[in-house]
């Protein structure tokens, strides 16, 4: 069995879709099995850790574990203590990178100390200041989650734990880019991810469609860029803007959404079932099961290869001729729910990306000029 030629990340759903919040737009929570709770057994976690490390290419320096949910902290601290112990016994010549995406409401001093000791990177899901965050990010009693998330962030800062923020932008918050950005900066987020909300029919949980239009996404990105470029270039890192700069420098995209192909981020559920991607946790995209199949075999299977390459092969002719195709690559295939006049699949957010590139490239290109000469992109006005 051949090892993968490129490293891949693994989203591990130790608690499946279980969560202590009830975010209205969440694409994943409708997978909850009523009130039944099922956690990943420790023995299965040990097998996953062992096989994931074993599956990485010899040339890879890091092994990425992404603990995700639902809310991964529901699985309990002892589970993750066991995980890092298994990792330490197994790894010899590679660096283990543990990332956890969490709503932060359960973080206390004990958790923060653990994260600091084992160099976990935390991704905190928060949509902005209280009024904007609580439009959709409420608990199961309909109560605010904001103060609990802020408390968790304070524990991380007090313990010196590195964290970034993940903000979902929906059709009720897109007009508030400046407010959201300033709030995140003021509260210590030096690396920000912004995820456009596309409330797919397969995942929708409420009567309201939270989806952005392309124009709304474009307005948010342009407003965000204007706020960032004012004085924070080289100081605050916004994933999408940084990715644009790297692509313009000639490097491959680090965002799967904007890569030519995908398929390098597998997901394993609490029951051991493995899927092609976190956003494709459907039966049609199941690769197998940890209980019966080798992770390496699933990662290199023809089904997974075709899943990844289909992103490029299915790109419509309008996108292929677009001036911005190298920066966009048609976006995430799951968001190709619009159609061209000829009936080909088109990214629902296409117009928004087009708006942004027209708006931002006159400043992004000089930033690349500065970087190619060894300067910080902040010096772009000189180029």
């Amino acid at each position: 069995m051949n090892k993968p030629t490129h490293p891949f990340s693994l989203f591990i759903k130790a608690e499946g879709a279980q969560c202590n919040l009830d975010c209205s737009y969440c694409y994943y929570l409708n997978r909850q099995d009523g009130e039944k709770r099922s956690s990943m057994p420790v023995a299965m976690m040990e097998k996953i850790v062992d096989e994931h490390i074993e599956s990485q290419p010899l040339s890879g320096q890091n092994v990425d574990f992404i603990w995700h949910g639902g809310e991964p902290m529901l699985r309990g601290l002892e589970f993750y203590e066991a995980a890092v112990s298994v990792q330490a016994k197994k790894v010899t010549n590679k660096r283990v990178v543990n990332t956890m995406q969490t709503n932060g409401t359960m973080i206390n001093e004990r958790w923060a100390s653990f994260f600091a000791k084992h160099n976990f990177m935390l991704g905190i899901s928060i949509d902005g200041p209280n009024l904007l965050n609580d439009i959709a990010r409420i608990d199961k009693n309909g109560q605010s989650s904001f103060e609990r998330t802020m408390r968790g962030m304070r524990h991380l800062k007090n313990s010196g734990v590195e964290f970034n923020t993940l903000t979902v932008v929906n059709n009720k918050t897109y007009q508030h880019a400046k407010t959201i950005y300033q709030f995140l900066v003021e509260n210590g987020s030096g690396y920000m991810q912004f995820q456009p909300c596309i409330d797919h029919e397969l995942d929708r949980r409420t009567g309201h469609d939270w989806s952005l239009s392309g124009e709304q996404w474009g307005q948010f990105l342009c407003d965000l860029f204007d706020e960032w470029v004012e004085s924070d270039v080289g100081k605050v890192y916004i994933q999408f803007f940084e990715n644009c700069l790297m692509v313009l420098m000639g490097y491959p995209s680090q965002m799967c959404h904007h890569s030519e192909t995908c398929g390098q981020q597998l997901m394993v559920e609490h029951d051991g079932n493995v899927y092609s991607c976190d956003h494709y946790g459907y039966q049609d995209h199941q690769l197998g099961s940890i209980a019966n199949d080798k992770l390496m075999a699933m990662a290199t299977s023809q089904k997974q290869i075709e899943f990844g390459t289909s992103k490029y092969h299915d790109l419509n002719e309008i996108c292929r001729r677009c001036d911005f195709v190298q920066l966009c690559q048609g976006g995430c295939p799951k968001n190709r729910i619009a159609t061209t006049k000829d009936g080909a699949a088109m990214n629902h957010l296409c117009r928004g990306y087009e708006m942004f590139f027209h708006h931002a490239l006159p400043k992004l290109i000089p930033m690349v000029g500065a970087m190619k000469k060894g300067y910080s992109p902040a010096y772009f006005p000189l180029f």
Side-chain angles (χ1 to χ4, degrees), residues 50-319:
D50 185 77
E51 291 198 14
H52 186 46
I53 293 170
E54 188 66 32
S55 298
Q56 296 304 304
L58 296 175
S59 59
Q61 297 179 345
N62 296 336
V63 186
D64 291 315
F65 292 88
I66 304 171
W67 305 97
H68 215 270
E71 174 47 57
M73 290 180 63
L74 286 173
R75 188 59 186 84
L77 182 55
E78 292 76 13
F79 177 84
Y80 296 102
E81 290 174 332
V84 296
S85 177
V86 175
Q87 291 169 347
K89 292 175 183 176
K90 179 66 179 178
V91 171
T92 55
N93 60 346
K94 296 182 186 294
R95 174 174 173 260
V96 170
V97 179
N98 282 298
T99 302
M100 182 179 288
Q101 187 65 42
T102 173
N103 59 48
T105 60
M106 298 175 65
I107 299 173
N108 55 25
E109 289 184 7
R110 187 179 173 209
W111 274 100
S113 177
F114 168 80
F115 293 141
K117 179 179 179 181
H118 296 287
N119 298 311
F120 269 59
M121 161 65 79
L122 270 289
I124 301 296
S125 298
I126 188 166
D127 288 353
N130 200 337
L131 289 177
L132 297 177
N133 183 77
D134 287 349
I135 287 174
R137 299 190 60 78
I138 54 176
D139 67 17
K140 295 186 183 301
N141 296 315
Q143 300 300 309
S144 169
S145 65
F146 179 78
E147 290 298 336
R148 284 170 282 174
T149 297
M150 294 299 293
R151 180 188 62 200
M153 289 171 61
R154 288 193 295 271
H155 281 303
L156 295 180
K157 286 186 278 191
N158 291 340
S159 295
V161 178
E162 188 177 358
F163 70 91
N164 57 40
T165 51
L166 173 63
T167 299
V168 176
V169 183
N170 60 67
N171 58 25
K172 292 181 180 293
T173 62
Y174 75 94
Q175 299 180 70
H176 302 284
K178 179 177 180 179
T179 299
I180 293 169
Y181 176 76
Q182 290 180 341
F183 165 80
L184 294 174
V185 170
E186 289 168 3
N187 286 279
S189 178
Y191 189 94
M192 305 174 189
Q193 300 178 60
F194 294 93
Q195 179 174 313
C197 184
I198 305 296
D199 201 0
H200 295 270
E201 291 185 5
L202 286 172
D203 306 321
R204 191 169 302 154
R205 303 175 54 245
T206 69
H208 178 73
D209 184 350
W210 294 86
S211 300
L212 292 165
S213 68
E215 289 79 5
Q216 289 171 340
W217 179 232
Q219 179 183 330
F220 178 85
L221 287 176
C222 291
D223 292 347
L224 180 69
F225 183 81
D226 289 345
E227 191 65 20
W228 172 73
V229 84
E230 184 77 22
S231 59
D232 289 338
V233 178
K235 301 175 185 176
V236 175
Y237 297 89
I238 297 175
Q239 185 190 42
F240 178 56
F241 299 167
E242 297 299 322
N243 197 67
C244 288
L245 287 172
M246 290 299 101
V247 172
L248 290 169
M249 286 282 288
Y251 296 100
S253 170
Q254 296 302 300
M255 294 178 66
C256 60
H257 284 50
H258 303 294
S259 298
E260 188 174 70
T261 60
C262 57
Q264 299 304 119
Q265 293 189 339
L266 279 65
M267 182 264 279
V268 56
E269 272 282 8
H270 65 94
D271 58 4
N273 289 339
V274 178
Y275 298 86
S276 292
C277 171
D278 176 42
H279 288 271
Y280 282 87
Y282 311 113
Q283 187 172 357
D284 289 349
H285 294 280
Q286 184 177 341
L287 299 173
S289 171
I290 286 291
N292 304 313
D293 307 289
K294 288 291 186 181
L295 183 59
M296 189 185 304
M298 290 184 276
T300 58
S301 66
Q302 189 62 30
K303 183 174 182 177
Q304 183 64 1
I305 292 170
E306 291 175 358
F307 172 82
T309 57
S310 66
K311 182 183 181 187
Y312 171 77
H313 293 309
D314 294 344
L315 194 63
N316 66 66
E317 286 303 316
I318 292 175
C319 288

Side-chain angles (χ1 to χ4, degrees), residues 327-341:
L327 291 164
C328 175
Q329 300 292 354
C332 177
K334 193 173 182 181
N335 293 340
R336 296 177 184 176
I337 54 176
T339 55
T340 66
K341 291 180 180 179

Side-chain angles (χ1 to χ4, degrees), residues 356-376:
F356 171 74
F357 294 133
H358 277 297
H359 181 78
L361 279 172
K363 292 181 179 177
L364 288 173
I365 290 173
M367 289 182 198
V368 171
M371 294 166 68
K372 286 184 175 180
K373 291 185 181 297
Y375 295 96
S376 164

